[in-house]
Amino acid sequence: MKDKPWYAVAYMFCVTAFFSFLVIGLARVTAGRVQANEQLALEKAVLKALGLAERRTAAQIHQTFIDQVRSLPDGAGYELIENGAITGYAVRVAGKGFWAPVAGIIGLKPDRQTVAGIAFYEQNETPGLGAEITRPAFRRQFEGLKLGSGEKPIEIKPFGSELADNEVHAISGATQTCTRLEKLINDDLKQWLEGAAGEAEK
């Protein structure tokens, strides 16, 4: 039977079908855990951007998020509630990086003009170059920034440049990632600020 011309085709079909069903089955079994991990990554980014994630376990981060963070109606961000008062905002920022999508959170103080921090929950930039956006050395530059009033509330300048109150240094060797990061941050941040200003006027 192995000499029949259809045998190889039938054999490959059966093997392919078996492994396809196996992969689909594993994907379905692990779908819940994957979704839970993605949600936890988002929650951790929100708290990290607001300065609340340090020395907290995953369970503590999740509980803090449930207890103190409230989603904004437009789905663009969150409010941090402490003792009944809004003590911070977390704005979603996302877009195309150099190689793949980048998604993160910008934390703002209650004045909506001072940056509390920045954190990322999705990125696949080049290790050692663009991926350095997740490192504390880069992220700490955002803490305490005062948003600018022009087209770019936050600017990322070449390494070594003199910096204004709304500017940070780019990562050396990761110009394309930083250029795209600056754009996606400002696109979403400006949209959120305009929406927040509109709500305040009502």
Side-chain angles (χ1 to χ4, degrees):
M1 187 170 67
K2 291 182 180 181
D3 295 331
K4 301 291 184 181
W6 51 264
Y7 177 81
V9 175
Y11 177 78
M12 289 306 299
F13 175 81
C14 291
V15 170
T16 302
F18 172 77
F19 283 106
S20 295
F21 282 123
L22 185 63
V23 170
I24 292 169
L26 286 172
R28 287 181 177 174
V29 168
T30 59
R33 182 174 292 276
V34 169
Q35 188 174 7
N37 287 338
E38 289 174 349
Q39 178 62 26
L40 181 60
L42 170 63
E43 292 173 2
K44 185 175 182 180
V46 169
L47 295 190
K48 189 180 286 187
L50 293 169
L52 297 176
E54 192 174 354
R55 292 190 293 276
R56 295 189 189 220
T57 65
Q60 290 171 330
I61 286 171
H62 180 62
Q63 193 60 51
T64 301
F65 188 89
I66 290 173
D67 293 341
Q68 296 181 234
V69 177
R70 180 172 62 195
S71 294
L72 294 170
D74 58 7
Y78 307 88
E79 294 173 335
L80 176 65
I81 310 296
E82 294 178 296
N83 299 319
I86 298 173
T87 58
Y89 298 94
V91 182
R92 285 179 183 257
V93 292
K96 183 69 170 66
F98 184 40
W99 294 110
V102 172
I105 300 289
I106 291 275
L108 296 178
K109 299 288 187 181
D111 64 3
R112 298 175 181 170
Q113 293 299 310
T114 306
V115 178
I118 189 171
F120 300 95
Y121 57 92
E122 180 183 353
Q123 68 83 26
N124 283 293
E125 297 300 283
T126 307
L129 293 172
E132 295 294 298
I133 62 173
T134 64
R135 299 291 186 186
F138 178 73
R139 293 189 297 102
R140 274 196 295 264
Q141 296 184 88
F142 289 80
E143 296 172 8
L145 286 185
K146 297 293 184 181
L147 299 183
S149 58
E151 282 298 305
K152 296 180 179 179
I154 293 176
E155 295 194 51
I156 302 178
K157 294 289 190 178
F159 189 80
S161 303
E162 281 194 37
L163 299 178
D165 290 343
N166 70 320
E167 297 173 346
V168 300
H169 281 134
I171 297 162
S172 182
T175 303
Q176 292 300 322
T177 295
C178 290
T179 298
R180 287 164 172 76
L181 180 63
E182 180 185 76
K183 183 180 187 309
L184 69 88
I185 285 175
N186 286 312
D187 285 350
D188 288 341
L189 194 52
K190 281 196 312 180
Q191 184 175 352
W192 186 86
L193 290 167
E194 288 166 4
E199 285 297 317
E201 291 174 1
K202 289 181 180 179

